[in-house]
Amino acid sequence: MPLKVSIIGVTGYTGLELVRVLLAHPQVQIKYLTSRQHEDSSIGDIYPHLTGYDLRITNTDATTVAKESDVVFLALPHKTAQDVVAEIYGLTKIIDLSADYRLDDAATYEKYYGLKHNHAELLAKSIYGAPEFLREEIKNADLVANPGCFALLGQLILYPFQNNIKRADIFAVTGSSGAGKSPAEGTHHPVRNHNIKSYNINAHRHIPEIIRTAGMQEDELNFVPSSGPFTRGIFMQAFITPQEETSVCAGELYKDEPFVRVVESVALAGIVGSNYCDLSYTKGHGGQIIAQGALDNLVKGAAGCAVQNMNIMCGLDEAMGLKTLAPLYP
């Protein structure tokens, strides 16, 4: 029997990307797509690229959705997801793509998101959804918190040096889809299409996720996120100073990972549209390691990783429905 899968909050970029990925999955039946703004609408009427798919958007309440689904994806904004997770926890398997259940404690969440956590007791029950690091824990999880897009790429780059990093300096450029669907001055196309700029230097919300997996302290990381003149993808460079001299073992570490490729040269065009993350490592001067990485922020950085987590939670082949998403080239 196919899995009955639903998406709460389908109309943002992440929710729509989940639809695209799930439509390619051979063991999924989409049960509910919900939105408060587009109740009882054909998805193709609102998003013409999905014309021809027999899918309707409703405003069905979260409890009903959970009781009638095997898996529920939450593609809701931060804070909004908090209460919905609490409402349906225990009724179904939950994969939350917001940041509300990614961090270990309410104080860290409040520091980086400026919000009070209303359900701190559930943080201990949430499993962080990075398959490359926590696959066994994900298998038995009822609530999985999908990683942030910058966060997952940063972790994959740094993980080969876990607990052996004296300091790391990261510069990363993300496409405009990372800013979400709601327009703003900084993401408006005429401003962005010819521009590159940095923001939230050493204050980005994904920093706690990166340092936790890398075994670092906050003051051992410089993180410079930037916005670039393209739609999809993140390109990241990291300059890593190990505590002790070490060889680069990423190829061996990731050799059995279905969606991590250690390559000679990283390029956005090699991963856009797919669930792959490409990494490369070069020896720098002064004992440094120069690392580069790229992933599609909407796929491996969001919807694709979420479906990868679903496969693991439900005992399916981890790559099911994802290997068919070959990179878009050119």
Side-chain angles (χ1 to χ4, degrees):
M1 295 291 291
L3 293 172
K4 294 178 181 177
V5 173
S6 297
I7 304 169
I8 296 177
V10 71
T11 54
Y13 289 149
T14 299
L16 292 171
E17 191 69 359
L18 272 169
V19 173
R20 184 178 80 91
V21 176
L22 291 171
L23 285 171
H25 198 293
Q27 289 294 324
V28 159
Q29 173 195 346
I30 296 178
K31 180 69 175 176
Y32 287 105
L33 303 175
T34 78
S35 168
R36 293 178 181 175
Q37 291 78 29
H38 301 287
E39 184 175 358
D40 195 26
S41 303
S42 169
I43 198 168
D45 289 343
I46 304 167
Y47 298 100
H49 72 288
L50 293 172
T51 298
Y53 293 96
D54 185 22
L55 297 172
R56 296 198 70 78
I57 300 174
T58 70
N59 192 22
T60 308
D61 67 274
T63 298
T64 299
V65 171
K67 287 180 177 179
E68 298 185 12
S69 304
D70 298 306
V71 180
V72 172
F73 295 94
L74 271 64
L76 296 169
H78 312 317
K79 189 177 182 181
T80 304
Q82 282 189 36
D83 294 338
V84 178
V85 167
E87 179 183 347
I88 67 174
Y89 182 80
L91 300 178
T92 186
K93 294 183 184 297
I94 305 166
I95 301 173
D96 178 21
L97 284 86
S98 84
D100 284 348
Y101 291 90
R102 291 175 188 162
L103 303 180
D104 294 330
D105 62 86
T108 304
Y109 176 83
E110 187 169 349
K111 174 183 175 181
Y112 279 90
Y113 288 87
L115 302 168
K116 186 180 186 303
H117 206 296
N118 298 326
H119 305 282
E121 73 282 358
L122 286 178
L123 292 174
K125 299 179 180 180
S126 173
I127 299 299
Y128 189 63
E132 292 76 15
F133 316 128
L134 294 167
R135 185 173 283 109
E136 292 304 312
E137 290 84 349
I138 293 168
K139 284 181 181 179
N140 300 311
D142 294 315
L143 169 60
V144 164
N146 228 51
C149 49
F150 275 129
L152 182 58
L153 181 52
Q155 289 170 91
L156 289 168
I157 283 179
L158 296 179
Y159 187 61
F161 309 95
Q162 184 186 45
N163 298 320
N164 187 31
I165 300 173
K166 183 176 181 179
R167 72 168 307 99
D169 302 300
I170 294 178
F171 174 74
V173 188
T174 186
S176 57
S177 60
K181 194 176 70 171
S182 298
E185 179 65 28
T187 59
H188 193 40
H189 183 72
V191 175
R192 187 156 183 159
N193 90 98
H194 64 288
N195 196 18
I196 185 167
K197 65 175 184 177
S198 298
Y199 62 97
N200 291 344
I201 296 172
N202 280 347
H204 196 278
R205 294 168 170 181
H206 292 174
I207 288 173
E209 298 173 61
I210 296 172
I211 61 175
R212 178 177 59 189
T213 300
M216 300 172 65
Q217 300 299 313
E218 191 173 351
D219 62 0
E220 295 170 342
L221 173 68
N222 284 316
F223 181 42
V224 184
S226 304
S227 62
F230 49 91
T231 302
R232 281 178 178 255
I234 299 174
F235 184 86
M236 182 175 285
Q237 299 185 88
F239 302 87
I240 305 162
T241 304
Q243 293 176 0
E244 300 176 3
E245 187 174 349
T246 182
S247 59
V248 180
C249 59
E252 181 65 24
L253 181 67
Y254 289 129
K255 65 182 176 65
D256 295 324
E257 291 297 335
F259 296 110
V260 179
R261 305 185 297 193
V262 180
V263 298
E264 185 174 337
S265 179
V266 171
L268 277 181
I271 53 83
V272 168
S274 78
N275 199 51
Y276 287 111
C277 171
D278 284 357
L279 306 173
S280 72
Y281 296 88
T282 304
K283 285 190 175 182
H285 299 303
Q288 278 194 325
I289 305 295
I290 301 171
Q292 295 186 320
L295 54 70
D296 187 317
N297 56 293
L298 293 179
V299 191
K300 182 59 173 169
C305 185
V307 171
Q308 192 176 348
N309 285 324
M310 178 196 75
N311 287 339
I312 296 169
M313 294 168 79
C314 297
L316 302 176
D317 181 338
E318 184 172 335
M320 184 176 287
L322 294 168
K323 284 285 188 180
T324 53
L325 301 175
L328 302 172
Y329 188 88

